[in-house]
Amino acid sequence: MMTPDPNARYIHGDQVHQDCIPKENMVFATEEEGYAFYMQYARAAGFGSKKHKNKAMSRVYACSRQGSSEFYKEAEKRKRGKMSKRIGCMASVKLKLRGKEWFYERVELEHNHTLNPDPCEVKHMRSHKNKHPVMMDYVDGLQHSGVSPNATVNVLTELHGDYGHMLMNARDLENRRAANLRKEQVDDVKKLVTFFNECRAQNPKFYSDIDYDSEGVVKNIFWSHASCQANYAEFKDVVTFDTTYRSNFYRMPLGMFVGSNHHLQNVIFGFALVGDETEETFEWVFRTFQRCMEGKDPICILTDQDQAMANAIRRVFLETIHRLCRWHMLNKHTVELNKLYYLHKGLEEKLLTAVNHPLTPLEFENAWKEMVTEHGLQNDPTLRGLYEHRASWIAAYFKGIFCGTMTSTQRSESTNRMDPPDTKTNYHLEHQLGRIYTRAVFKKYQDAYFAATSFRTKKVDTCNFLVYYGREGPTFSWSQHEFKVVCNEEEEKYTCECRGWEHTGLLCPHLIIVLINEQIQKIPSQYVLRRYSRNAHIDLPYDRNDTVQTGPDGSSLSCRNSDLLSEAFSTVQAGRRSTVAYKRAMTVLKELRKQLEEIPADEMPVRGEPATHDEDGHLGTVLKAPPKSKTKGSRTEAGAEQIIGARGPKLCTRSCGNCGLFEGHNAATCTRRQQTFAVGGSSAGKGRGRGRGRGRGRGRGRNEKGKGVMRARRRLLDDVEEEDEDEDEQEKDYEAASETSCESDDSD
């Protein structure tokens, strides 16, 4: 690489149009126009620019490499290893005010460095990065919507036509995301209260509450939108509550009250951010949820195995049945169960069958005893603990309680795992349910109908039947093979011993096969729950929409946005086809934008109180951010010293990149490191300033060349140690020889 000539001078190339070159006495109406013109020239010529001087009557815009760096001083140690690019370039323009207009008084176009007009290079210059507010808002929208960085780059590349013309790179997008996160963390509690007030202004049904101590430090937060409360009014029978999700800055667990709607989809009833997982905290959350839902408790609530949560549920929801989640129960003992699965072949299949298959408590108890006896695990603490809590998580003990579809597996799922075909019959009952049920629930009925074809019926008397499995398959000694079904068409009474309808609200295969054989054409309305029908939504005395979506004229804001975007993209496609079309489009769009900015915005209708409404009484208290939460799953106690690196004693399996020894340190913490600083900065700063990903994964001593360097360094250390040992031995020999000579002189 040739050293550049310090006396050489460089100027723009032929790619810069003559009309874009600054000249003396060029006149501009405003200061901004003069600066924009010079920025356009700098972008085309291929150098960065900056605002050098700003006086009352004049402005100086110069090359970004103007001046010299004063960061490094001879008598001080340099703190950074990154070199400055300022080399005293004199290229600049002076913009001066004359009357009401601005003009270029002095223009210097020569540079003492090479220029980079390539768009792929220009976009890395700070002054030429595209920071247009509209484009930044678009980028923020993509990032807020969870679009990945690579996908964001692809979208922006498509908008700009080419990656080289996109005036930002992937690092700029990462910096933008990090800046937005830092901005969100500033006064986030105040922003949260403001957000709650805005939601309440959009819909007064919005509910929120904040729990804080005497000093104003936030402890717990709860909120629920109008749509969440509407969902609870319609599907409040079964609720799940879980606090395993934790990803915010304060590491506060996020608890969500979730249910299932008539499309068998999850719906959210409320949110809670808790500072800890104590009994008092859960009691506050449950009582707040109860007040929000006007004292209407669910029939059943499913949670994980947390004693503090269970105690709070017993205090608050007096009539609610508490059930433990099967997944949490088994996942809690994953390590112990995997060991048992490895030592006892076939245990996993038998355990899952015993948990999922039985339909009565007696079946489950017999299946469990048979399993532990076969494998000799009667005294195993893990299995004994699961069995002791069987009444709180095994589905067989909840058959008489309505849990909807939020339950463990049914017998029809464990008996036949084949996907049912798309069966269509002329059976009147199927047509009736097809008109009433939603598509997802009707698919469940078709699954049960297909499973019912595997059963046979035996008529006991006029209204009583026995249903048994009629196909050859796996049988269990503890399994019940016949089910009593009552089918009384006159009294409109249909029940099954498995209690599948009472548990899920859907017809079980045993009852369906009896209805088919008895040619029952219509099922009573009490056996078709409204929560599964297409008309599950009820009329509420409040608006279930969380925000106002229409303008004063009734038009939708989203519709306006969609129409404008479509027209804007069509204009861009037509305007880029030719130079004349481009100039015409730019002229018209600029004039149109000025006209639109002068039109005042519509005042959106507000359905509730103004945004300053203080339902919870928080405006008189200065709320403070909570400390980082230490939940029960944390591995360190609150206030304990943070452990960096792997836990436990160091194994010393990696060598130091500086000395090559295996002593548990690295090159940065090596005590044998020479503290020498060159003019360019410290040795620790070498290599800084490179992009992420360059050279990663190839540390010192990793490749062949590095291994040789490490071995050479190790040999040098060994040689030094050997030389020190030789010198010590020579000194000892010399002392011994001196003593010998002295003794001989004395003898003489």
Side-chain angles (χ1 to χ4, degrees):
M1 181 176 180
M2 286 187 1
T3 303
D5 185 5
N7 298 322
R9 294 294 179 265
Y10 306 90
I11 199 171
H12 56 265
D14 298 336
Q15 78 281 358
V16 182
H17 196 271
Q18 290 296 325
D19 296 339
C20 298
I21 301 175
K23 301 178 181 64
E24 294 182 358
N25 296 322
M26 292 185 68
V27 180
F28 304 95
T30 61
E31 171 193 355
E32 289 75 15
E33 291 183 5
Y35 178 67
F37 185 85
Y38 188 70
M39 287 288 295
Q40 182 180 0
Y41 164 73
R43 185 183 299 109
F47 67 93
S49 62
K50 66 176 182 178
K51 295 181 178 180
H52 181 43
K53 294 181 180 180
N54 188 358
K55 296 184 179 180
M57 302 294 293
S58 64
R59 309 286 189 268
V60 176
Y61 308 131
C63 175
S64 60
R65 306 190 71 175
Q66 178 270 343
S68 59
S69 175
E70 298 179 357
F71 186 84
Y72 174 70
K73 298 180 180 179
E74 295 293 340
E76 298 180 2
K77 182 176 69 173
R78 188 184 179 115
K79 299 180 181 179
R80 296 176 61 191
K82 186 177 180 180
M83 302 297 294
S84 174
K85 291 187 176 183
R86 299 171 63 179
I87 56 176
C89 181
M90 300 302 295
S92 63
V93 296
K94 183 177 181 181
L95 186 67
K96 193 170 184 179
L97 178 63
R98 182 174 56 192
K100 295 184 179 181
E101 60 184 14
W102 297 78
F103 72 100
Y104 283 150
E105 183 184 39
R106 185 184 70 250
V107 177
E108 179 62 45
L109 302 179
E110 291 185 349
H111 300 258
N112 62 350
H113 57 87
T114 58
L115 305 181
N116 299 310
D118 187 0
C120 295
E121 297 291 338
V122 172
K123 70 188 218 176
H124 294 288
M125 301 179 184
R126 182 185 297 270
S127 58
H128 298 314
K129 294 183 182 296
N130 188 0
K131 301 289 184 172
H132 195 277
V134 176
M135 183 59 65
M136 290 297 99
D137 291 342
Y138 184 71
V139 171
D140 294 342
L142 292 176
Q143 295 178 349
H144 183 72
S145 301
V147 180
S148 65
N150 291 337
T152 303
V153 172
N154 295 337
V155 172
L156 296 178
T157 301
E158 184 68 22
L159 291 177
H160 287 82
D162 184 25
Y163 180 76
H165 294 86
M166 188 180 71
L167 299 181
M168 63 182 68
N169 51 29
R171 178 60 62 82
D172 297 330
L173 298 178
E174 294 179 8
N175 294 338
R176 180 74 180 183
R177 183 191 295 269
N180 290 338
L181 291 177
R182 291 192 299 268
K183 185 178 180 180
E184 290 178 359
Q185 293 174 3
V186 178
D187 294 335
D188 49 358
V189 177
K190 182 178 179 181
K191 294 177 182 177
L192 179 65
V193 175
T194 303
F195 170 74
F196 285 169
N197 291 332
E198 292 176 353
C199 292
R200 190 175 295 112
Q202 294 285 330
N203 194 326
K205 191 61 177 176
F206 175 83
Y207 186 93
S208 65
D209 194 4
I210 300 179
D211 182 26
Y212 52 89
D213 58 15
S214 58
E215 297 180 357
V217 178
V218 175
K219 298 167 57 179
N220 309 299
I221 304 171
F222 175 86
W223 71 97
S224 176
H225 295 273
S227 59
C228 299
Q229 300 173 51
N231 290 330
Y232 184 80
E234 298 164 347
F235 311 106
K236 61 179 177 296
D237 37 26
V238 184
V239 176
T240 64
F241 181 73
D242 186 24
T243 59
T244 57
Y245 186 77
R246 182 179 64 230
S247 67
N248 62 339
F249 176 76
Y250 302 103
R251 300 187 61 81
M252 298 177 67
L254 174 64
M256 292 189 295
F257 294 89
V258 182
S260 177
N261 64 3
H262 57 309
H263 295 290
L264 306 183
Q265 299 171 338
N266 291 339
V267 288
I268 301 177
F269 302 144
F271 305 85
L273 283 172
V274 296
D276 52 40
E277 294 176 319
T278 60
E279 184 175 337
E280 293 77 11
T281 297
F282 287 129
E283 184 175 353
W284 180 89
V285 171
F286 294 147
R287 291 196 183 279
T288 306
F289 177 79
Q290 193 178 52
R291 288 195 302 270
C292 174
M293 303 305 172
E294 301 176 351
K296 299 177 182 178
D297 298 344
I299 298 176
C300 179
I301 184 170
L302 286 80
T303 67
D304 58 355
Q305 190 179 11
D306 191 311
Q307 189 59 41
M309 191 182 301
N311 296 337
I313 290 175
R314 283 195 295 267
R315 291 184 181 181
V316 179
F317 302 123
L318 302 179
E319 303 296 331
T320 300
I321 298 174
H322 182 206
R323 176 179 175 181
L324 300 181
C325 177
R326 184 196 63 179
W327 181 87
H328 281 97
M329 291 295 297
L330 297 178
N331 186 70
K332 183 179 180 180
H333 304 282
T334 301
V335 178
E336 294 80 3
L337 290 177
N338 287 337
K339 293 180 180 178
L340 294 177
Y341 296 157
Y342 178 78
L343 296 175
H344 303 273
K345 301 300 181 181
L347 176 63
E348 181 178 8
E349 182 180 359
K350 291 184 177 63
L351 176 63
L352 296 179
T353 302
V355 170
N356 299 328
H357 191 86
L359 294 176
T360 62
L362 182 60
E363 280 191 12
F364 170 76
E365 293 172 1
N366 293 335
W368 192 274
K369 291 179 181 179
E370 180 179 314
M371 177 190 66
V372 297
T373 302
E374 179 182 352
H375 295 278
L377 299 174
Q378 294 88 339
N379 298 325
D380 183 79
T382 301
L383 297 180
R384 187 170 63 248
L386 292 175
Y387 185 76
E388 290 175 355
H389 294 87
R390 62 190 181 278
S392 60
W393 67 284
I394 295 297
Y397 291 86
F398 296 89
K399 287 299 180 180
I401 302 170
F402 180 80
C403 294
T405 57
M406 306 175 68
T407 179
S408 301
T409 55
Q410 305 295 316
R411 173 167 295 201
S412 60
E413 298 173 357
S414 58
T415 303
N416 197 323
R417 299 180 181 273
M418 296 178 58
D419 294 332
D422 187 12
T423 58
K424 295 182 180 180
T425 67
N426 292 324
Y427 187 34
H428 187 272
L429 177 61
E430 184 175 4
H431 287 277
Q432 176 196 4
L433 298 180
R435 291 191 302 266
I436 299 176
Y437 282 154
T438 61
R439 183 178 303 231
V441 178
F442 185 66
K443 181 67 167 56
K444 285 284 186 180
Y445 165 77
Q446 288 184 324
D447 294 344
Y449 182 90
F450 181 77
T453 58
S454 300
F455 290 89
R456 300 292 181 267
T457 61
K458 183 190 304 181
K459 193 169 185 178
V460 179
D461 52 35
T462 305
C463 301
N464 296 314
F465 300 84
L466 289 179
V467 179
Y468 59 94
Y469 195 68
R471 294 178 55 186
E472 295 183 359
T475 58
F476 308 99
S477 59
W478 44 263
S479 177
Q480 181 177 348
H481 300 287
E482 292 183 343
F483 297 90
K484 297 178 182 179
V485 176
V486 177
C487 180
N488 192 333
E489 186 176 5
E490 295 181 358
E491 298 180 1
E492 295 185 345
K493 181 180 179 180
Y494 304 93
T495 60
C496 179
E497 188 179 7
C498 74
R499 311 192 74 178
W501 184 87
E502 291 81 357
H503 186 56
T504 64
L506 300 174
L507 299 178
C508 64
H510 318 118
L511 192 55
I512 291 176
I513 191 62
V514 174
L515 295 176
I516 295 174
N517 293 342
E518 294 299 311
Q519 298 182 0
I520 304 298
Q521 298 298 317
K522 186 177 180 181
I523 191 170
S525 58
Q526 63 265 26
Y527 291 96
V528 182
L529 300 183
R530 179 172 181 173
R531 76 175 325 277
Y532 292 138
S533 67
R534 300 181 180 182
N535 300 321
H537 292 306
I538 60 178
D539 294 333
L540 299 171
Y542 55 86
D543 189 355
R544 64 191 306 150
N545 295 318
D546 298 330
T547 58
V548 179
Q549 297 292 335
T550 57
D553 58 348
S555 61
S556 173
L557 298 181
S558 59
C559 182
R560 296 181 190 176
N561 189 68
S562 177
D563 294 343
L564 289 173
L565 280 178
S566 300
E567 194 65 30
F569 279 119
S570 300
T571 303
V572 172
Q573 293 288 341
R576 70 181 184 179
R577 295 187 300 173
S578 64
T579 305
V580 177
Y582 166 75
K583 293 181 179 180
R584 176 62 177 168
M586 292 297 295
T587 303
V588 174
L589 288 176
K590 289 180 180 179
E591 183 64 26
L592 177 62
R593 183 167 60 88
K594 291 181 181 179
Q595 297 177 6
L596 295 178
E597 290 176 350
E598 295 176 356
I599 301 175
D602 293 337
E603 294 184 2
M604 299 300 298
V606 178
R607 292 176 293 191
E609 299 287 339
T612 57
H613 180 56
D614 184 25
E615 178 180 304
D616 306 319
H618 298 142
L619 294 180
T621 305
V622 179
L623 299 180
K624 301 178 183 179
K628 289 191 176 181
S629 176
K630 290 291 183 180
T631 58
K632 296 179 180 179
S634 302
R635 300 178 63 180
T636 57
E637 299 294 336
E641 183 179 359
Q642 185 178 3
I643 300 176
I644 301 177
R647 300 176 183 272
K650 293 184 177 295
L651 302 179
C652 302
T653 58
R654 297 184 180 181
S655 62
C656 173
N658 183 53
C659 64
L661 299 178
F662 293 84
E663 295 182 353
H665 63 269
N666 53 30
T669 59
C670 182
T671 58
R672 301 172 180 83
R673 177 182 173 191
Q674 295 181 359
Q675 302 295 334
T676 58
F677 297 91
V679 177
S682 64
S683 59
K686 292 183 179 181
R688 292 187 179 180
R690 297 180 297 177
R692 294 182 181 177
R694 295 183 181 178
R696 281 195 169 189
R698 296 192 303 163
R700 296 179 182 177
R702 298 295 179 187
N703 53 9
E704 295 298 328
K705 182 178 179 181
K707 291 181 179 179
V709 173
M710 187 177 68
R711 295 193 187 102
R713 186 178 293 125
R714 182 73 180 110
R715 286 196 299 269
L716 290 175
L717 290 173
D718 294 340
D719 293 341
V720 172
E721 294 176 357
E722 292 177 359
E723 290 178 359
D724 294 339
E725 294 177 357
D726 295 340
E727 291 178 358
D728 294 340
E729 292 179 357
Q730 291 178 2
E731 291 178 359
K732 292 180 181 179
D733 294 340
Y734 177 77
E735 293 176 357
S738 300
E739 293 176 357
T740 305
S741 60
C742 293
E743 292 176 357
S744 60
D745 293 339
D746 295 338
S747 61
D748 294 339

